[in-house]
């Protein structure tokens, strides 16, 4: 006994998201997919920061200009405090001081090229005998950007090239390099360069790890939000299905009775139509309650959710459809959490709906057993199945199982040996072992 799958989406049911891979050509989602594919050359930690709409079109003009001004002005001041035999800041020196910051404009697009280029320009400047100063700042910025982007080996190679080139220039080839008559350079300078290179690599690695961790957290938050959205969509779909399936089943039965007795027994036909009106009014009210939660996210629903305290209304509706329902409670009734109470009500409602639609029996037995740790529901009918309506592929039993599983419970449904049908549901009320099942 399964419920009939709806032929169309119920009113207000959320539309499933359209996959970007199936978006129509020329649509916004299709354009986003192409842009994301075009940014695949970026390392993962920078795809969002410098990806489509950011990295590809982002050129760090202001920061590069600041480095340019700092190197030009700072080197001029630093030159006054150094030895007089150093080469003066001529046009070539100014050009070399400008080349590094110019290369920094490309550090987000081509980090490896930038760090190697800045290192080569800096080495050329130092080997030409120009005074020390903030010329190394371009290498620091380019190396940091490359390390954060994940190009650690390229950065280490560029810094190693700069340090080794400086070592050779000032200790092996100093006689062939300007200024003339200059002796070998001090070893303290090489040690200083090695120290700040190690510090740069350490800071870059720490920044890369922190950025990757932040990306992981953002990705997990997005996945969790998507899961919550899917769960909410399924919850609303189950709620609408349960409301509409039960009420429309009652309406369908009573409408048939009314049509059959319209001429022979007008009074009975009028009673059937009255039941149709009442059932449709209740269904509309519950549908409005579900839709109200969508229109006002975050607000508590104004009407209480149905629970087992409304089981009498449920049996009255079933009786109006010609089904006599017997209810029994065992154990001491205890207050149920709102979610568990709603799930128990919907399980009984769906079980009775299936009996009305698919069973030849006009009686149903509902047993509710309250335990310390678990609530057990048992809905029986004598059968046999009528053979009308679909026998599989419906959403009724699936919805019942999903509702019970939300609270760690189970739903079992199947034919009995005497030809009837049984639905058994268990909903844990708190952690602990389940009590013995109903027999």
């Amino acid at each position: 006994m399964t419920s009939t799958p709806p032929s169309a989406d119920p009113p207000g049911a959320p539309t499933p998201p359209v996959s970007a891979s199936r978006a129509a050509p020329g649509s916004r989602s299709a354009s986003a997919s192409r842009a994301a594919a075009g940014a695949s050359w970026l390392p993962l930690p920078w795809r969002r920061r410098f990806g489509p709409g950011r990295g590809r079109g982002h050129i760090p003009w202001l920061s590069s200009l600041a480095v340019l001004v700092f190197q030009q002005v700072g080197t001029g001041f630093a030159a006054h405090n150094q030895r007089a035999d150093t080469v003066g800041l001529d046009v070539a020196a100014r050009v070399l001081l400008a080349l590094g910051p110019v290369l920094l404009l490309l550090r987000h697009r081509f980090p490896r090229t930038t760090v190697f280029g800045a290192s080569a320009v800096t080495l050329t400047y130092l080997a030409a005998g120009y005074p020390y100063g903030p010329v190394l700042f371009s290498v620091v910025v380019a190396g940091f950007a490359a390390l954060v982007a994940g190009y650690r080996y390229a950065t280490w190679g560029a810094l190693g090239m700069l340090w080794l080139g400086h070592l050779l220039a000032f200790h092996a080839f100093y006689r062939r390099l300007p200024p003339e008559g200059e002796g070998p350079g001090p070893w303290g300078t090489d040690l200083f360069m090695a120290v700040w290179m190690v510090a740069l690599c350490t800071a870059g690695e720490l920044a890369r790890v922190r950025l990757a961790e932040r990306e992981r957290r953002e990705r997990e938050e997005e996945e969790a939000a998507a899961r919550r959205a899917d769960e909410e969509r399924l919850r609303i779909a189950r709620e609408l299905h349960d409301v509409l399936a039960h009420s429309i089943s009652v309406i369908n039965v009573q409408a048939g009775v009314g049509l059959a007795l319209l001429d022979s027994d007008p009074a009975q036909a009028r009673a059937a139509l009255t039941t149709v009106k009442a059932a449709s009014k209740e269904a509309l009210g519950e549908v409005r309650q579900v839709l109200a939660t969508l229109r006002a996210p975050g607000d508590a629903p104004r009407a209480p959710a149905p629970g087992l305290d409304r089981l009498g209304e449920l049996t009255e509706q079933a009786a109006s459809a010609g089904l006599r329902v017997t209810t029994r409670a065992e154990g001491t009734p205890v207050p149920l959490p709102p979610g568990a109470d709603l799930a128990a009500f919907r399980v009984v409602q769906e079980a009775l709906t299936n009996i009305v639609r698919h069973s030849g029996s006009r009686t149903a037995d509902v047993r509710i057993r309250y335990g310390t740790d678990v609530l057990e529901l048992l809905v029986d009918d004598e059968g046999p199945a009528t053979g009308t309506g679909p026998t599989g592929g419906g959403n009724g039993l699936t919805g019942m199982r999903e509702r019970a599983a939300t609270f760690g419970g189970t739903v079992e449904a199947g034919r009995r040996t005497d030809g009837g049908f049984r639905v058994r549901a268990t909903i844990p009320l708190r952690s602990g072992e389940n009590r013995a099942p109903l027999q």
Side-chain angles (χ1 to χ4, degrees), residues 37-245:
S40 59
W41 56 272
L42 282 170
L44 179 60
W46 276 25
R47 284 180 188 170
R48 289 183 186 169
R49 178 173 291 185
F50 306 113
R54 286 173 154 179
R56 300 295 297 252
H58 174 72
I59 299 179
W61 294 99
L62 292 179
S63 58
S64 300
L65 179 61
V67 174
L68 173 63
V69 173
F70 178 66
Q71 288 193 170
Q72 294 285 351
V73 177
T75 304
F77 283 105
H80 294 292
N81 299 322
Q82 297 186 30
R83 295 175 303 178
D85 55 356
T86 57
V87 179
L89 292 176
D90 52 16
V91 175
R94 294 296 182 179
V95 171
L96 290 173
L97 289 173
L99 279 179
V102 170
L103 287 172
L104 293 181
L105 295 172
L106 305 176
R107 68 181 184 270
H108 293 158
R109 291 187 177 184
F110 310 104
R112 287 178 296 187
T113 302
T114 302
V115 70
F116 272 105
S119 298
V121 169
T122 303
L123 179 59
T124 302
Y125 174 91
L126 296 176
Y130 294 117
Y132 287 94
V135 63
L136 298 174
F137 198 64
S138 294
V139 180
V140 172
V141 175
F144 188 83
L147 286 169
V148 173
Y151 298 107
R152 60 165 66 92
Y153 296 119
T155 306
W156 297 346
L159 295 180
M161 177 195 72
L162 174 59
W163 187 81
L164 181 61
H166 182 273
L167 191 69
L168 293 175
F170 286 84
H171 296 280
F173 303 107
Y174 61 92
R175 295 185 180 87
R176 302 179 183 180
L177 297 174
E180 295 182 0
E182 179 73 9
W187 288 99
T189 303
D190 301 289
L191 179 61
F192 168 75
M193 292 185 65
V195 170
W196 73 256
M197 286 178 181
V198 172
L200 171 62
C201 292
T202 303
E205 285 295 318
L206 290 176
R208 184 188 64 81
V209 170
R210 291 187 60 183
L211 182 60
E213 179 65 18
R214 186 174 66 181
E215 285 287 328
R216 184 187 64 79
R217 288 197 303 266
E218 291 178 356
R219 184 169 58 253
E220 290 178 351
E221 290 174 359
E222 290 178 358
E223 292 173 354
R227 286 195 301 269
R228 288 193 297 268
D230 288 340
E231 291 171 358
E232 182 66 11
R233 178 178 58 83
L234 291 176
R235 185 192 68 81
I236 295 171
R238 284 197 304 267
E239 198 72 17
L240 289 173
H241 171 270
D242 292 344
V243 170
L244 295 177

Side-chain angles (χ1 to χ4, degrees), residues 271-342:
L273 294 177
T274 301
T275 302
V276 168
K277 180 180 179 181
S280 60
K281 181 179 179 181
E282 180 177 358
L284 287 174
E286 294 200 36
V287 169
R288 289 193 186 99
Q289 180 180 343
V290 174
L291 297 181
T293 62
L294 296 178
R295 296 192 179 97
D299 296 341
R302 297 181 180 179
L308 291 179
D309 57 338
R310 292 180 54 183
L311 196 57
E313 301 177 17
L314 197 59
T315 58
E316 289 178 4
Q317 291 181 358
S320 65
L323 181 65
R324 183 168 56 88
V325 181
T326 302
T327 60
R328 290 181 291 169
E330 299 179 5
T332 303
V334 295
L336 302 178
D341 201 14
L342 174 62

Side-chain angles (χ1 to χ4, degrees), residues 1-6 241 357-358 389-399 401:
M1 295 185 301
T2 57
S3 60
T4 306
H241 171 270
R357 300 180 60 192
H358 302 290
T391 58
N395 299 319
L397 291 177
T398 301
R401 293 189 178 101

